[in-house]
Amino acid sequence: MKMTKNKTGLLLLFALLVATGVQAQRVTSIRINEILVVNEQNFVDEYGTRSGWIELFNTSAGTVNIGGCYLTDDPSNHKKYPIPKGDVLTIIRPRQHVLFWADGNASRGTFHLNFALDPDKENYIALYDADGKTLVDEIKIPAGQRADVSFGRETDGLNKWITLNKVTPSTNNLTLDRNDNIEKFLLRDSLGTGMTITAMIVVFIGLFLLFFIFKCIGKSAIKLSARRAKEAGVENVTAKGGLTDEGAIFAAIATALFEVEEDVHDVESTVLTINKVTRRYSPWSSKIYGMREFTKTNNH
């Protein structure tokens, strides 16, 4: 029984050490990412005031809680500003940022520091773990920083620090404002000839595809009509576009009209003229006239 209790105690101690090690490893993944010393026309805090700020970045793939850690601007005082515990906003998600206002007014909330940045001298900024001894990250900001121009890492979490003309609080330091491929294309084709030819090729390909699609649809419609007509018992419909029986009849009538005596045609051989009958009464109202004409014709 005593051996079992000892084993249980050892397992709990081992679990506690592992958890502590994992937590410490996660905290050490936080980096000081960007700093603005002089804020004249830049972003404002929730109180509507402008002041310098310090941005932290979580480089890990896990969530990190920085509550209980320390920020300082004094190398001899590691615990100058204790980040409050219990604030859900101190939990930084993977590859995300958090911003602290260096306004010297900690009474305004968790993210307001008890020290401010001095533009006339070099500023030292450091982040310490919860024990107040383990240095997580530090940076020295050169004196003479310009207003509304921040000093930060060229790429989030990496070591190279540069002057950032485009201030990016709580977002990525490296932002893609241009497309390198498009700019290279513009350099190689300054007159737009290649672009024009490419556009024309695309248009012609589109037209060809439309022609092909409509042609296929037309053939399918003809075949479908022929099949339905055959199912309905209509035999005079052809699927290949040939003449039907009705078409042959219409062709015969047109040929007969074309072969009528020349005196009934105008100058154009395909135009017929109907002349007015010079009689006192219309043959349509006289059966006698019709009979006479019939007899006369037979005698003739």
Side-chain angles (χ1 to χ4, degrees):
M1 186 70 177
K2 186 176 181 180
M3 291 293 294
T4 304
K5 289 183 178 179
N6 290 337
K7 288 182 179 180
T8 303
L10 290 174
L11 289 174
L12 290 174
L13 179 61
F14 178 76
L16 180 62
L17 291 174
V18 171
T20 304
V22 171
Q23 179 64 22
Q25 184 180 4
R26 287 183 176 178
V27 170
T28 56
S29 65
I30 300 297
R31 293 289 179 270
I32 300 172
N33 200 56
E34 185 179 0
I35 299 172
L36 180 68
V37 177
V38 184
N39 186 351
E40 292 182 355
Q41 300 295 327
N42 201 255
F43 293 88
V44 298
D45 60 16
E46 66 271 29
Y47 293 92
T49 59
R50 291 184 173 88
S51 57
W53 45 259
I54 300 169
E55 178 191 77
L56 303 182
F57 177 69
N58 180 10
T59 62
S60 72
T63 300
V64 179
N65 189 353
I66 60 173
C69 296
Y70 299 91
L71 278 169
T72 182
D73 65 341
D74 186 354
S76 62
N77 183 5
H78 301 170
K79 298 181 179 181
K80 187 167 186 178
Y81 178 74
I83 301 174
K85 296 180 180 180
D87 192 328
V88 295
L89 297 180
T90 61
I91 300 174
I92 310 176
R93 302 184 65 178
R95 309 293 300 176
Q96 295 301 311
H97 312 75
V98 66
L99 199 71
F100 287 87
W101 297 96
D103 55 3
N105 194 350
S107 61
R108 288 188 170 184
T110 300
F111 299 98
H112 291 264
L113 304 176
N114 57 4
F115 59 86
L117 302 177
D118 189 345
D120 298 325
K121 68 177 184 179
E122 181 181 78
N123 288 275
Y124 171 81
I125 305 296
L127 173 67
Y128 281 86
D129 203 350
D131 58 6
K133 298 178 180 179
T134 304
L135 177 64
V136 178
D137 195 18
E138 64 179 351
I139 184 66
K140 291 182 179 179
I141 309 300
Q145 292 293 310
R146 290 180 293 163
D148 302 318
V149 177
S150 63
F151 189 71
R153 300 178 188 270
E154 184 177 21
T155 304
D156 292 327
L158 299 184
N159 292 328
K160 186 177 180 180
W161 284 76
I162 61 172
T163 298
L164 299 172
N165 291 318
K166 183 174 182 179
V167 182
T168 58
S170 298
T171 189
N172 296 335
N173 291 355
L174 178 62
T175 56
L176 300 178
D177 296 330
R178 62 181 186 177
N179 191 314
D180 292 336
N181 293 329
I182 293 177
E183 291 189 358
K184 290 179 181 179
F185 186 82
L186 291 174
L187 290 175
R188 295 174 182 176
D189 185 29
S190 58
L191 298 178
T193 304
M195 182 68 74
T196 303
I197 294 174
T198 302
M200 292 177 66
I201 291 174
V202 171
V203 171
F204 282 120
I205 290 175
L207 292 174
F208 174 78
L209 291 175
L210 287 175
F211 167 76
F212 180 76
I213 291 171
F214 283 118
K215 186 175 181 180
C216 292
I217 293 174
K219 288 184 177 180
S220 300
I222 292 174
K223 290 180 180 179
L224 180 62
S225 299
R227 185 169 65 252
R228 289 180 177 176
K230 187 175 182 180
E231 292 174 355
V234 180
E235 301 295 338
N236 59 350
V237 178
T238 59
K240 295 183 179 181
L243 287 174
T244 61
D245 292 344
E246 288 86 352
I249 294 172
F250 293 147
I253 294 173
T255 304
L257 289 174
F258 184 77
E259 296 296 336
V260 178
E261 295 181 0
E262 295 183 358
D263 58 348
V264 298
H265 289 282
D266 288 336
V267 177
E268 299 86 0
S269 60
T270 58
V271 178
L272 296 178
T273 301
I274 299 176
N275 296 321
K276 183 178 179 181
V277 179
T278 56
R279 293 184 178 88
R280 284 188 249 176
Y281 54 90
S282 172
W284 298 102
S285 61
S286 176
K287 296 181 179 179
I288 298 175
Y289 177 76
M291 292 177 64
R292 288 177 181 176
E293 287 294 313
F294 179 78
T295 305
K296 183 178 180 181
T297 302
N298 288 339
N299 292 335
H300 183 270

